[in-house]
Amino acid sequence: MELSLHETLRRLRDHAAEQELNPQELADQTAMPVGTVLALLRGEELPPDTVDERVCSRIKVLADAHAARTRKRFGDLVSEVAGKLSISDVWARKLLRGEKTPNITLLHGLVDFFKVDGGEAFFTASPADALNRALLKILERYEEPQRDPIDALMAKFGVKAMDLRHHGTMTKDQLEMLLEGVIKSVVPPEGDPRR
């Protein structure tokens, strides 16, 4: 269940985590102006915008930040993006300056290029939704739901998924017995100094 920005902020206040919020860091994470982040944190309504305006603005912010962080000339960044997206330098320059809206294919390429969280929604989400996505990561530190022990074990060992369809089906009890055997084989017995 996805929480609204209002509910996320309320829950952060309940955990006294609101003091941890750094508007500049949130602006950097969302590619939005600090003033927009501050207004949203205060619960203010923002003037309406269009998806095209959001996309162009966030691309420009990311491009400027990327150029500053990597200390590349803007022209070098333009050439790099043009090469990665197989577009002309002229088109790449207009995209990175926020002057043109990319099509879906180019937007997907920009997601990969800038390695943004949230896929294309990073660029298209409303300001409230974009900020909420960043705040939910902070809230998770306080309210991390109980994880399924099987999922936790798989995550610990880097297993992304298990597909037992090709190997027959296992009941929950059979799966627990299998995992118990695996765990017992890798965990030293009680009294063992390695434990």
Side-chain angles (χ1 to χ4, degrees):
M1 177 181 81
E2 189 78 13
L3 301 175
S4 69
L5 176 60
H6 175 75
E7 179 64 12
T8 301
L9 285 169
R10 185 195 65 73
R11 288 167 85 162
L12 284 168
R13 282 185 204 105
D14 289 349
H15 293 289
E18 193 177 32
Q19 296 115 359
E20 287 182 34
L21 302 181
N22 180 322
Q24 182 60 58
E25 286 178 8
L26 291 168
D28 293 344
Q29 292 170 15
T30 59
M32 294 190 304
V34 175
T36 299
V37 170
L38 287 169
L40 289 168
L41 290 174
R42 290 189 298 260
E44 296 174 13
E45 286 291 320
L46 298 177
D49 65 351
T50 67
V51 173
D52 286 353
E53 290 169 333
R54 284 180 226 146
V55 170
C56 290
S57 172
R58 290 178 191 165
I59 290 171
K60 182 179 182 337
V61 169
L62 285 176
D64 291 345
H66 184 81
R69 185 177 61 254
T70 60
R71 296 191 170 145
K72 289 183 180 179
R73 290 185 12 228
F74 193 74
D76 294 337
L77 177 59
V78 166
S79 295
E80 188 176 348
V81 168
K84 294 265 186 201
L85 301 181
S86 300
I87 59 176
S88 71
D89 281 6
V90 171
W91 184 238
R93 184 175 308 281
K94 288 181 180 187
L95 282 176
L96 296 176
R97 284 188 176 158
E99 297 169 358
K100 293 289 184 182
T101 306
N103 63 26
I104 293 172
T105 303
L106 293 180
L107 191 61
H108 183 74
L110 290 168
V111 166
D112 289 342
F113 182 83
F114 289 117
K115 296 176 178 44
V116 295
D117 252 359
E120 290 79 6
F122 177 89
F123 295 103
T124 61
S126 71
D129 288 345
L131 180 59
N132 193 40
R133 184 175 52 242
L135 293 175
L136 284 170
K137 291 177 186 176
I138 296 169
L139 184 61
E140 282 177 10
R141 294 194 304 243
Y142 295 93
E143 296 183 354
E144 188 168 329
Q146 286 289 19
R147 290 180 67 183
D148 180 323
I150 295 169
D151 289 341
L153 184 63
M154 287 173 42
K156 179 179 178 181
F157 293 103
V159 177
K160 301 285 185 208
M162 288 192 315
D163 183 4
L164 301 175
R165 291 177 295 177
H166 299 294
H167 310 288
T169 58
M170 297 179 97
T171 66
K172 183 178 184 228
D173 292 337
Q174 291 171 322
L175 182 58
E176 284 179 13
M177 284 178 43
L178 173 68
L179 289 173
E180 181 181 341
V182 170
I183 291 170
K184 284 181 179 178
S185 72
V186 295
V187 175
E190 264 188 63
D192 189 320
R194 293 175 293 163
R195 185 171 193 169

